[in-house]
């Protein structure tokens, strides 16, 4: 792996005019309608409500859109390699090894009949030539890196024996053991309690800082994204409403972003009635 | 509080097998008040609500509702006075029953005759067009489903509503609409609420007072103003408040 301070000649990921369509009997559902961004070694947030296309964006990058969905783009490039023309085998090798994804809920994403340690070790051996013993040692070190105390004990536990926060850390460990350049985290903390949430974010944050990883952080939580990310893309109905620095989120200009911020109850500014959002059909035009 | 409290809980204890999930909990809620219970998962906050609603029969201690000490098994009159709204509108409505079925059932159970008019009224009250009456849950959005769940609770005209995370499965813009609706209904009908939530901002917005729970115990009871002033007394409440304000680098 490169040292994080190596000068960067090219962005990690370039995406131009990404579209995700589903052909259904009742017509075409356009889940993502023309998304473009460039990802560097940074924390990029994608926020939006349900149905905004934020999760579909993450899946499209990994080529995980199920049939009958189709992914179209003018350009989709990972460190100089064109993802659109790449054959499926090469693309699959990239997935998990260089671009990886942490899903929302550990309850549904871990294999229930395999110990969590074996699952992490398997992730390592898929991508690296290693003996089972070496994979085990790596996995234990990784569990320690995501701040699990007694890694040897946790290694032998099954998913139902670990708490939600621990399960989420196990998934992060599994995704990071291959040392990817890009991590896509789809609502990685929304199933967790606030205090555990902060611990998980701290781990992700350290990884971006120490390994120079690029992080795409998909979330519906504006406050969290504001405090955690560097840049934020606000999506609605599959389109980008605006892209802005996370620190400037409060000064957002777009009526949708303003509306989202306005309808949150706020400890400091109590209001008798919460503002509701008026959706303008012109936003999707 | 000079008047008799609407809800009074004294030394409530709940155990499931070996795990003691609610420990010596006591609190009072005045009539017309909105009272919040906050805590992390496993703190016992939903269990308290389920005991009050009569859904959980394994408990000890005293629970007085509207001045009446409640037995483990409640009578029908109790359910006319106390209703509950659950967290997940995708799980709490029967997928093969229409809105009309969902609203008619409590009326049938209680032998109320003017069902027709009541269902119409309940739907209007929660802002659902009456044309939705014969729709199935899958034909409704999350916010609309939660409105149906609220309408189902209101159709019996209860005085107490128990709300278990009523908006945590909803998008923020829909959450705002549902919270506004609950506020308006409470003022119109002088309802008493207990709102369980993990979201401190929601509780501060909706409630006058709140109780912070941890590991089954009441850690601290405070007013919403104390919360807004960031002035809780206990370390745990303070920690919860800090955690809810988002991520801090180098913290």
């Amino acid at each position: 792996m490169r040292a994080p301070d190596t000068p960067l000649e090219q962005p990690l990921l370039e995406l131009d005019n990404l579209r995700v369509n589903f052909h259904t009997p009742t017509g075409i559902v356009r889940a993502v309608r023309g998304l473009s961004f460039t990802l560097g070694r940074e924390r990029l947030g994608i926020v939006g409500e349900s149905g905004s296309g934020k999760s579909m964006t993450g899946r499209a990058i990994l080529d995980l859109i199920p049939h009958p969905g189709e992914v179209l783009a003018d350009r989709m490039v990972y460190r100089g390699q064109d993802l659109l023309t790449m054959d499926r085998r090469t693309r699959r090798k990239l997935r998990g090894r260089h671009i990886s994804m942490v899903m929302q809920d550990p309850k549904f994403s871990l294999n229930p009949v395999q110990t969590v340690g074996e699952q992490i070790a398997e992730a390592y051996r898929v991508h690296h030539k290693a003996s089972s013993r070496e994979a085990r040692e790596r996995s234990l070190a990784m569990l320690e890196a995501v701040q699990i105390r007694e890694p040897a004990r946790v290694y032998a536990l099954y998913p139902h024996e670990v708490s939600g926060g621990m399960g989420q850390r196990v998934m992060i460990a599994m995704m990071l053991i291959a040392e990817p350049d890009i991590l896509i985290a789809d609502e990685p903390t929304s199933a967790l309690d606030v205090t555990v949430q902060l611990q998980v974010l701290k781990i992700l944050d350290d990884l971006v800082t120490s390994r120079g990883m690029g992080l795409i952080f998909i979330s519906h939580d504006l406050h969290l994204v504001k405090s955690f990310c560097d840049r934020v893309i606000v999506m609605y109905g599959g389109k980008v409403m605006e892209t802005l620095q996370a620190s400037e989120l409060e000064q957002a200009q777009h009526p949708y972003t303003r509306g989202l911020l306005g309808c949150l109850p706020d400890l400091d500014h109590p209001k008798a009635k919460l503002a509701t959002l008026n959706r303008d059909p012109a936003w999707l035009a | 509080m000079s008047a008799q409290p609407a809800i009074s809980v004294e030394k409530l204890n709940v155990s499931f097998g070996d795990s003691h999930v609610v420990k010596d909990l006591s609190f009072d809620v005045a009539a017309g008040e909105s009272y919040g219970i906050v805590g992390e998962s496993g703190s016992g906050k939903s269990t308290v609500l389920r005991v009050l609603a009569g859904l959980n029969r394994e408990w000890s201690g005293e629970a007085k509702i509207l001045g009446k000490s409640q037995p483990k098994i409640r009578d029908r009159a109790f359910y006319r006075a106390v209703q509950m709204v659950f967290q997940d509108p995708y799980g709490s409505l029967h997928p093969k029953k229409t809105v009309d079925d969902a609203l008619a059932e409590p009326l049938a159970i209680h032998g109320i005759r003017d069902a027709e008019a009541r269902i119409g009224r309940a739907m209007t009250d929660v802002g659902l067009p009456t044309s939705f009456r014969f729709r199935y849950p899958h034909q409704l959005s999350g916010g609309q489903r939660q409105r149906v769940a609220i309408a189902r609770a209101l159709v019996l005209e209860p005085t107490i509503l128990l709300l278990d995370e009523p908006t945590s499965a909803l998008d923020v813009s829909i959450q705002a609409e549902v919270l506004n609706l609950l506020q308006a209904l409470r003022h119109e009908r002088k309802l008493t609420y207990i709102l369980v939530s993990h979201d401190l901002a929601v509780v501060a917005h909706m409630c006058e007072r709140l109780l912070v729970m941890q590991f089954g115990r009441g850690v601290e009871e405070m007013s919403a103003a104390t919360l807004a002033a960031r002035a809780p007394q206990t370390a745990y409440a303070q920690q919860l408040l800090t955690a809810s304000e988002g991520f801090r680098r180098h913290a």
Side-chain angles (χ1 to χ4, degrees), chain A residues 43 49-50 193-195 198 201-202 205 224 227-228 260 263-265 267-268 271-277 279, chain B residues 40-41 171-177 179-180 201-202 204-205 227-228 230 239-241 243-244 246-247 249:
Chain A
R43 290 160 287 247
E49 298 190 288
S50 26
D193 279 323
V194 274
T195 44
L198 292 189
L201 288 178
K202 175 94 172 55
D205 192 54
L224 194 63
S227 61
F228 182 69
L260 278 186
C263 61
L264 285 170
L267 274 180
D268 294 316
K271 27 200 164 181
K273 203 169 175 225
L274 296 169
T276 50
L277 195 59
R279 290 152 210 274
Chain B
E40 299 189 283
S41 30
D171 275 324
V172 285
S173 58
I174 312 299
Q175 163 173 289
E177 290 170 19
L179 292 182
N180 284 342
V202 167
H205 175 72
L227 185 69
R230 313 267 190 301
Q239 186 195 339
L240 209 58
L241 187 56
S244 71
F247 185 74
R249 211 144 271 134

Side-chain angles (χ1 to χ4, degrees), chain B residues 154-177:
Chain B
L154 288 175
V155 78
L156 291 171
E157 302 186 346
T159 50
I160 296 173
L161 268 194
L162 304 172
L163 307 161
D164 189 2
E165 303 260 16
T167 59
S168 61
L170 307 175
D171 275 324
V172 285
S173 58
I174 312 299
Q175 163 173 289
E177 290 170 19

